[in-house]
Amino acid sequence: MIKIERGRPPKNTAIDKRREKELRKIRKLAKSRELKSGDFENLWSNPKVKDFLYESQHGKCCYCERKRDKRESDVEHFRPKAEVKEAGEDHQGYWWLAYSWENLLIACKTCNQEYKKSKFPLKDEGKRAYTEDCDLGEEEPFLINPLEENPELLIDYDLRETRLMAKAIGRCERGEKTVNELTGINDRRVMEERADKLKDYRICAYLKNNGSDELKLEADDRLREYVSPSSEFSGFARFYFQKEGCL
Ligand SMILES: [Zn+2]
């Protein structure tokens, strides 16, 4: 997981044009009954919207950093839009953020549909925002927000494990929950893909530290590619190469 740097969203998208109207509809519905995902017009799947999100994340999941085809990638609501598991029936979801750019990310189906779902635990449930007038800044979410903070300061990896588990630096609770409960970062399939990449990293680090001048240069090129934000598992790559003294 890495910090996502993205530029300004495009203008005049379906989201910009229809946000207010859709929110009026949802606001009214929320007063009369529980909301369901199907109540929302999924403007976030509009090509211009999804393309921007997908391309600014280089086609990678915002959590596990695996690349997936666009159609295998979900538009993820960081704060769930229609319900919040931890808050139960009292909460209608963060419906007012359903069409907010800063609440939209791209996630793989494993992370979104098998782990994150409608979870959004807070350190203090009493500070949860229930309406659009509440101050979200009061909330202290456990899930690390890759748009706002640098996950690499909270997460590293256990290289002794054959499956390369991600772990929380200093056992911090936010890191623990993010890698083990709220995302698929430590899903078996994701760990296997990470372990596969490590084989290439190991060769690269060996050549960089022990190869001829020519091989060192080649290893440098490869290393730059591995740690680039556009590459899969670049956060893990940075962790590994720093540990090996290559960065
Ligand atoms: Zn993922």
Side-chain angles (χ1 to χ4, degrees):
M1 195 171 174
I2 58 166
K3 177 144 197 304
I4 293 165
E5 305 290 350
R6 71 184 185 202
R8 277 172 196 274
K11 288 183 176 158
N12 296 320
T13 64
I15 275 190
D16 305 295
K17 289 178 189 161
R18 293 168 60 190
R19 179 192 291 120
E20 290 313 317
K21 187 175 166 225
E22 290 302 321
L23 286 184
R24 272 201 297 279
K25 187 184 88 184
I26 296 290
R27 194 177 286 121
K28 213 168 154 185
L29 270 182
K31 283 180 185 154
S32 62
R33 62 161 171 81
E34 258 179 47
L35 295 176
K36 297 189 284 285
S37 280
D39 292 329
F40 294 82
E41 197 68 45
N42 65 349
L43 306 177
W44 48 84
S45 294
N46 178 277
K48 208 170 162 187
V49 175
K50 190 169 178 181
D51 286 358
F52 167 73
L53 298 170
Y54 184 82
E55 276 151 31
S56 56
Q57 285 179 219
H58 311 282
K60 298 195 297 182
C61 170
C62 63
Y63 301 124
C64 72
E65 273 205 273
R66 291 185 304 169
K67 283 197 184 197
R68 289 293 176 263
D69 284 348
K70 208 180 288 172
R71 63 176 181 280
E72 288 174 46
S73 302
D74 290 344
V75 176
E76 138 83 344
H77 287 81
F78 182 72
R79 283 179 165 80
K81 63 186 179 300
E83 58 171 337
V84 178
K85 185 171 182 280
E86 294 78 13
E89 287 178 4
D90 293 345
H91 205 286
Q92 295 272 57
Y94 297 86
W95 55 267
W96 63 96
L97 302 174
Y99 307 110
S100 297
W101 286 108
E102 60 274 20
N103 198 43
L104 299 177
L105 291 157
I106 291 289
C108 73
K109 292 193 184 294
T110 305
C111 285
N112 187 34
Q113 297 180 22
E114 296 179 35
Y115 289 88
K116 167 78 187 314
K117 298 189 263 193
S118 65
K119 293 178 205 152
F120 198 69
L122 303 179
K123 279 188 188 167
D124 180 353
E125 189 57 42
K127 290 183 179 166
R128 189 179 292 283
Y130 275 71
T131 66
E132 52 194 315
D133 312 319
C134 291
D135 181 4
L136 293 172
E138 292 284 306
E139 293 188 332
E140 293 173 276
F142 280 110
L143 181 60
I144 299 166
N145 185 344
L147 279 179
E148 289 181 359
E149 50 197 327
N150 182 0
E152 291 172 70
L153 300 175
L154 296 162
I155 296 171
D156 65 11
Y157 301 84
D158 191 342
L159 293 173
R160 293 167 306 172
E161 297 280 336
T162 50
R163 282 167 163 183
L164 301 174
M165 291 197 62
K167 62 181 181 59
I169 295 173
R171 295 191 178 167
C172 78
E173 217 176 345
R174 296 189 65 215
E176 289 284 354
K177 281 195 188 292
T178 296
V179 299
N180 292 319
E181 289 174 36
L182 304 173
T183 72
I185 290 175
N186 275 340
D187 178 90
R188 180 184 52 80
R189 292 156 291 181
V190 178
M191 289 198 285
E192 281 170 5
E193 285 187 40
R194 218 158 39 225
D196 259 355
K197 280 274 186 252
L198 182 65
K199 292 176 195 158
D200 298 336
Y201 300 166
R202 283 205 163 116
I203 295 169
C204 181
Y206 178 82
L207 293 178
K208 183 158 166 65
N209 291 330
N210 305 289
S212 63
D213 287 351
E214 199 182 328
L215 286 173
K216 275 182 186 162
L217 283 176
E218 204 182 298
D220 268 341
D221 286 346
R222 274 201 239 165
L223 190 151
R224 264 195 295 277
E225 176 70 30
Y226 291 142
V227 301
S228 152
S230 61
S231 294
E232 282 190 301
F233 304 118
S234 63
F236 171 55
R238 263 195 292 272
F239 168 78
Y240 174 75
F241 286 112
Q242 265 162 14
K243 214 158 178 63
E244 291 297 310
C246 300
L247 278 179

